[in-house]
């Protein structure tokens, strides 16, 4: 079935380092979303992308909608301890209300 | 305000119990969602309500029964659950219309079935 693959699966970085992660799909998406989830909490929307090639920033976060519409990228600059969590990409599949989530990237920031 | 609230935060229930999860939003959103999330997995869509009508049921067992009493409230009634139903249950809401609208999630209810 459909799967949104995120890589890396997990990463350990030093505080202050930049982070890059990506999400790839076998299907075309018209919208990409990036969420962050803290343990035991609900996902929080970080960035939404609506156009192929679009580059959008939210503070230290920057996300890009891949040209092929089958991938998206998230970068975090100058990481801080509160960036710890699981980052999910997501997109609507089989209809506007049917949001499908990627496999997630678990980020650990070492102070 | 992008707040979605869920109660209770934690719930432990036996396999013969009946319980309900509640979700509320006051953003004027007309689409509301239930997701199930197992540990170390992404959220999976269960139900979608659009204008208070059930529009998507992702082949969820009948022991889960959703209800949307009005445009601000969403309930999930639970009956005769199995231990494998233990998970984080997430509610979300979004605007509804032509095209896709961003979904905003509540903090979830951690359900344990014993």
């Amino acid at each position: 079935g459909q799967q949104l693959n995120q890589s890396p699966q997990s990463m350990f970085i030093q505080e202050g380092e930049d982070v890059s992660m990506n999400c790839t799909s076998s299907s075309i998406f018209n919208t990409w979303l990036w969420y962050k989830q803290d343990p035991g909490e609900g996902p929080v929307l970080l960035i939404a992308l609506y156009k192929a090639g679009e580059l959008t920033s939210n503070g230290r976060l920057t996300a890009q909608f891949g040209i092929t519409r089958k991938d998206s990228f998230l970068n975090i600059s100058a990481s801080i301890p509160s960036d710890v969590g699981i980052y999910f990409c997501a997109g609507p599949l089989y209809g506007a209300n049917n949001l499908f989530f990627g496999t997630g990237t678990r980020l650990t920031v070492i102070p | 305000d992008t707040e979605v609230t869920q109660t209770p935060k934690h719930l432990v229930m036996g396999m013969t119990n009946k319980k309900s999860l509640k979700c509320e939003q006051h953003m004027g959103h007309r689409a509301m969602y239930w997701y199930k999330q197992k540990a170390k997995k992404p959220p999976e869509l269960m139900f979608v309500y659009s204008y208070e009508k059930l529009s998507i049921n992702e082949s969820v067992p009948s022991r889960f029964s959703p209800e949307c009493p009005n445009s601000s409230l969403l309930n999930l009634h639970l009956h005769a659950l199995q231990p494998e139903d233990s998970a984080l249950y997430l509610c979300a809401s979004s605007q509804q219309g032509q095209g896709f609208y961003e979904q905003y999630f509540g903090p979830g209810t951690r359900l344990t079935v014993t």
Side-chain angles (χ1 to χ4, degrees):
Chain A
Q2 174 62 42
Q3 192 161 10
L4 284 178
N5 291 310
Q6 289 187 242
S7 65
Q9 197 172 31
S10 62
M11 49 195 317
F12 294 79
I13 61 167
Q14 291 288 139
E15 184 176 355
E17 288 182 352
D18 295 345
V19 173
S20 290
M21 61 187 77
N22 66 62
C23 180
T24 58
S25 167
S26 55
S27 301
I28 287 175
F29 280 77
N30 293 316
T31 301
W32 286 99
L33 305 176
W34 284 93
Y35 286 89
K36 176 180 182 256
Q37 187 173 25
D38 292 332
E41 298 293 329
V44 173
L45 183 62
L46 300 174
I47 292 179
L49 301 159
Y50 290 97
K51 261 198 227 179
E54 181 182 355
L55 190 70
T56 297
S57 294
N58 177 5
R60 292 177 298 105
L61 277 62
T62 302
Q64 182 158 26
F65 194 141
I67 290 291
T68 65
R69 295 200 285 155
K70 290 186 177 181
D71 55 12
S72 181
F73 309 89
L74 179 69
N75 295 315
I76 305 173
S77 63
S79 59
I80 58 178
S82 61
D83 291 334
V84 166
I86 303 178
Y87 291 80
F88 289 105
C89 62
L93 195 64
Y94 315 129
N97 290 117
N98 202 335
L99 195 60
F100 193 79
F101 280 79
T103 50
T105 292
R106 182 180 294 272
L107 177 64
T108 301
V109 179
I110 302 164
Chain B
D1 180 12
T2 55
E3 189 178 25
V4 176
T5 59
Q6 290 187 242
T7 55
K9 180 78 172 167
H10 301 277
L11 178 63
V12 179
M13 60 185 290
M15 290 188 282
T16 58
N17 291 159
K18 283 185 185 181
K19 296 286 185 183
S20 296
L21 309 185
K22 296 186 183 305
C23 174
E24 190 167 3
Q25 57 87 15
H26 293 290
M27 295 178 277
H29 289 170
R30 301 306 298 274
M32 295 186 77
Y33 311 79
W34 281 115
Y35 287 82
K36 174 181 178 180
Q37 187 177 26
K38 300 285 277 185
K40 299 187 180 180
K41 296 288 186 185
E44 291 183 345
L45 184 66
M46 299 173 73
F47 301 105
V48 180
Y49 272 83
S50 175
Y51 297 104
E52 295 94 71
K53 287 187 171 27
L54 184 65
S55 64
I56 295 177
N57 176 342
E58 290 287 356
S59 304
V60 179
S62 60
R63 57 186 184 268
F64 295 91
S65 175
E67 179 198 17
C68 190
N70 61 54
S71 60
S72 300
L73 292 174
L74 187 66
N75 297 322
L76 187 62
H77 303 297
L78 314 172
H79 172 55
L81 295 192
Q82 304 296 310
E84 60 264 28
D85 296 322
S86 299
L88 182 67
Y89 287 84
L90 295 162
C91 174
S93 71
S94 73
Q95 295 181 51
Q96 178 69 65
Q98 296 282 351
F100 174 80
Y101 293 90
E102 297 152 16
Q103 293 184 21
Y104 295 91
F105 284 81
T109 293
R110 172 72 59 188
L111 174 68
T112 303
V113 182
T114 60

